[in-house]
Amino acid sequence: MIAILLGAPGVGKGTQAKLAAERNGWTHLSTGDLLRDEVGRGTELGRQADAVMKRGELVSDQLMVDLVAGRVARLAPGEVLLLDGFPRSLPQAQALEARAGGQRGARVGLALYFTAPDRVLTERLLGRGRADDTREVIARRLAVYRETTEPLVAHYRARGVLREIPADRAIEEIQKDLIRSVRELRTDPSSVS
Ligand code: AMP
């Protein structure tokens, strides 16, 4: 089963996904981490992605779908995959559904939508100190998020799989909501409304 983590940059979904995956034996796949690894190794993909990431823009849908498709194809029966940072656009969501649809157990069962006020997002991003976390790039990333990624909220709500998780709270409070949502779905696939 695939659970998507949606939300603005800085909302803390990566931290949450990593922790929940470690504690429950789930798989965590962060496309941002995959790209940073490619950049670090100086691969051709890394070189292409680096410039885009430094501007706060999105890497092309085709590259991203290729990067994630192999992992989705290898999903084991009963495996829970927390997808962190993908999909980030409607074409990516459609490509994921097309690929996951052909496989038993690989459907998108849940879209966890992490929310926090903009002020909190910017503070968290500035505090993180990553290369793409300067004030100017942060503003661009938030704008790109609103324009390209936020429409996915309506997309997954219409499919009946959206769960909102207020993320301006203590880490353990958020963990409880995340883990409960995934576990409920695993025992009763009809429970998400
Ligand atoms: P993240 O660590 O998820 O904030 O991702 C860091 C950067 O990687 C983003 O600002 C994008 O430039 C790029 N990126 C990560 N995931 C995707 C995706 N699914 N589509 C396009 N670009 C992505």
Side-chain angles (χ1 to χ4, degrees):
M1 193 267 283
I2 298 172
I4 287 166
L5 283 85
L6 270 179
V11 81
K13 56 190 188 304
T15 306
Q16 290 294 333
K18 188 167 178 288
L19 208 54
E22 279 168 10
R23 289 173 169 176
N24 294 279
W26 299 335
T27 307
H28 171 215
L29 188 74
S30 154
T31 46
D33 285 350
L34 285 183
L35 291 172
R36 280 184 288 277
D37 181 59
E38 298 277 341
V39 172
R41 289 189 290 119
T43 64
E44 176 54 32
L45 169 59
R47 272 199 294 276
Q48 288 180 39
D50 193 30
V52 179
M53 290 164 82
K54 280 184 178 144
R55 289 198 305 269
E57 309 275 341
L58 294 182
V59 173
S60 83
D61 289 334
Q62 191 58 57
L63 275 182
M64 295 312 301
V65 170
D66 288 348
L67 202 59
V68 172
R71 190 60 197 79
V72 170
R74 288 198 307 275
L75 207 65
E79 182 177 357
V80 173
L81 175 64
L82 300 182
L83 259 187
D84 164 15
F86 183 96
R88 251 180 166 96
S89 68
L90 274 173
Q92 289 181 15
Q94 283 155 356
L96 176 64
E97 277 150 33
R99 296 193 189 228
Q103 273 172 267
R104 280 194 60 167
R107 71 196 177 87
V108 176
L110 198 57
L112 297 163
Y113 175 37
F114 291 76
T115 54
D118 269 9
R119 173 185 48 79
V120 174
L121 301 174
T122 308
E123 269 167 27
R124 282 194 191 157
L125 289 169
L126 283 172
R128 213 159 63 165
R130 229 167 61 187
D132 57 348
D133 284 341
T134 64
R135 216 171 252 287
E136 197 190 359
V137 177
I138 287 170
R140 185 66 196 135
R141 284 166 65 199
L142 286 174
V144 169
Y145 168 76
R146 299 267 177 260
E147 198 175 308
T148 311
T149 308
E150 213 166 50
L152 293 179
V153 172
H155 176 83
Y156 287 114
R157 184 177 283 130
R159 276 162 179 66
V161 296
L162 194 82
R163 271 281 170 94
E164 184 169 343
I165 299 190
D168 190 13
R169 293 182 296 161
I171 286 185
E172 292 301 335
E173 294 295 307
I174 305 168
Q175 273 287 293
K176 262 188 232 157
D177 283 0
L178 193 179
I179 292 172
R180 193 185 305 125
S181 297
V182 175
R183 284 199 187 140
E184 271 173 20
L185 192 73
R186 293 190 80 194
T187 48
D188 175 13
S190 66
S191 69
V192 172
S193 55

